[in-house]
Amino acid sequence: MSQGNEMAGKRDYGQFCGLAAGLNIIGERWTLLLVRELLVSALRFNELLDNLPGIGPNLLAERLRTLAEHGLVEQLAVPGDGRAKQYRLTERGQQLRGPVLGLARWGMQFLSVDDRDGGEVRAEWGIIAVQAMVDTGRVPEVDETYEFRVGDETFGVFVVGGAVRFVPGPADAQVVVSSDPDTFIQIGAGMVSPFDALAAGQIKLEGPPGSIRRCTKMLGLT
């Protein structure tokens, strides 16, 4: 086999390189999309199957096993259900947030109208789009919280000390941003301008003008 070898049935590029070592773990089909789902929240096995149509239970189990073997994913009990398990990214797995969001931001330029018309859109992916839109060079110096209601999902964006943190669920926020996942992805892909989305009521903003201005600037909406 050229350009690498197979060890114990798993891909190994056989290169003393950090990129190759990382791709040995996350370079297989579906793996990064699985990480994307777990970046939003911890999920049960069947929830992951529903969110990733086409992966199949055997392949999903294999991908989860590989991530767990490398310390990126862990299993936890589900509160109130002693038999159920859910999967969550470990601290090492959470380190993929930056690379995954960067790749999502880069990939948005390749989205087309055909992708929008023929592809599935989920609220969770709108959340990822919002996170990918955050411009780290425009993070407010003021500590504030922004709540995003994307479809039927809600999460908070906490700006503290110039750092940004994303937390699932409602937040006691200065600004509330409401929209559908399709709109955020279209804005990130350059298919619709932020101004047109705001004018058409596809995005709704509630809060003090100064806080709204800082939030929209951080997202590149102004």
Side-chain angles (χ1 to χ4, degrees):
M1 181 180 297
S2 61
Q3 301 300 317
N5 54 69
E6 294 289 336
M7 296 180 62
K10 297 179 181 179
R11 173 179 294 178
D12 189 306
Y13 289 103
Q15 299 177 13
F16 190 60
C17 165
L19 180 59
L23 290 176
N24 285 340
I25 303 169
I26 63 170
E28 297 287 357
R29 179 172 166 82
W30 292 105
T31 301
L32 281 180
L33 296 183
L34 171 55
V35 171
R36 175 196 65 190
E37 298 301 312
L38 295 178
L39 282 172
V40 176
S41 66
L43 294 168
R44 303 187 192 201
F45 188 89
N46 286 339
E47 290 173 327
L48 287 167
L49 272 181
D50 291 341
N51 291 359
L52 298 169
I55 189 173
N58 291 339
L59 186 55
L60 175 58
E62 179 185 326
R63 295 293 185 261
L64 285 169
R65 185 164 52 250
T66 297
L67 291 173
E69 287 173 353
H70 290 88
L72 276 67
V73 166
E74 60 185 348
Q75 277 193 53
L76 299 172
V78 176
D81 189 338
R83 294 185 301 173
K85 299 292 182 182
Q86 62 182 352
Y87 295 88
R88 182 180 70 179
L89 290 175
T90 62
E91 183 177 348
R92 176 178 286 183
Q94 285 287 348
Q95 292 172 4
L96 285 168
R97 183 179 297 276
V100 169
L101 293 181
L103 186 57
R105 185 183 307 114
W106 178 79
M108 282 183 186
Q109 65 185 305
F110 300 105
L111 288 173
S112 67
V113 174
D114 289 340
D115 294 322
R116 177 178 179 247
D117 293 341
E120 184 176 353
V121 178
R122 301 181 62 88
E124 293 88 346
W125 303 344
I127 290 174
I128 291 295
V130 173
Q131 295 184 24
M133 289 164 63
V134 170
D135 185 340
T136 55
R138 294 186 172 188
V139 175
E141 295 181 0
V142 177
D143 291 354
E144 287 185 316
T145 301
Y146 313 123
E147 181 179 281
F148 284 80
R149 300 171 183 172
V150 183
D152 57 0
E153 297 286 340
T154 301
F155 71 105
V157 178
F158 294 80
V159 178
V160 180
V164 183
R165 184 166 55 95
F166 308 96
V167 179
D172 183 13
Q174 284 75 43
V175 176
V176 175
V177 184
S178 304
S179 186
D180 59 273
D182 184 77
T183 296
F184 275 116
I185 295 173
Q186 283 191 74
I187 291 173
M191 294 179 180
V192 62
S193 73
F195 177 82
D196 289 340
L198 288 166
Q202 294 172 285
I203 297 180
K204 296 180 180 179
L205 302 169
E206 303 173 54
S211 297
I212 289 176
R213 184 170 59 253
R214 287 186 288 271
C215 177
T216 54
K217 181 179 179 181
M218 181 179 71
L219 294 178
L221 297 178
T222 56

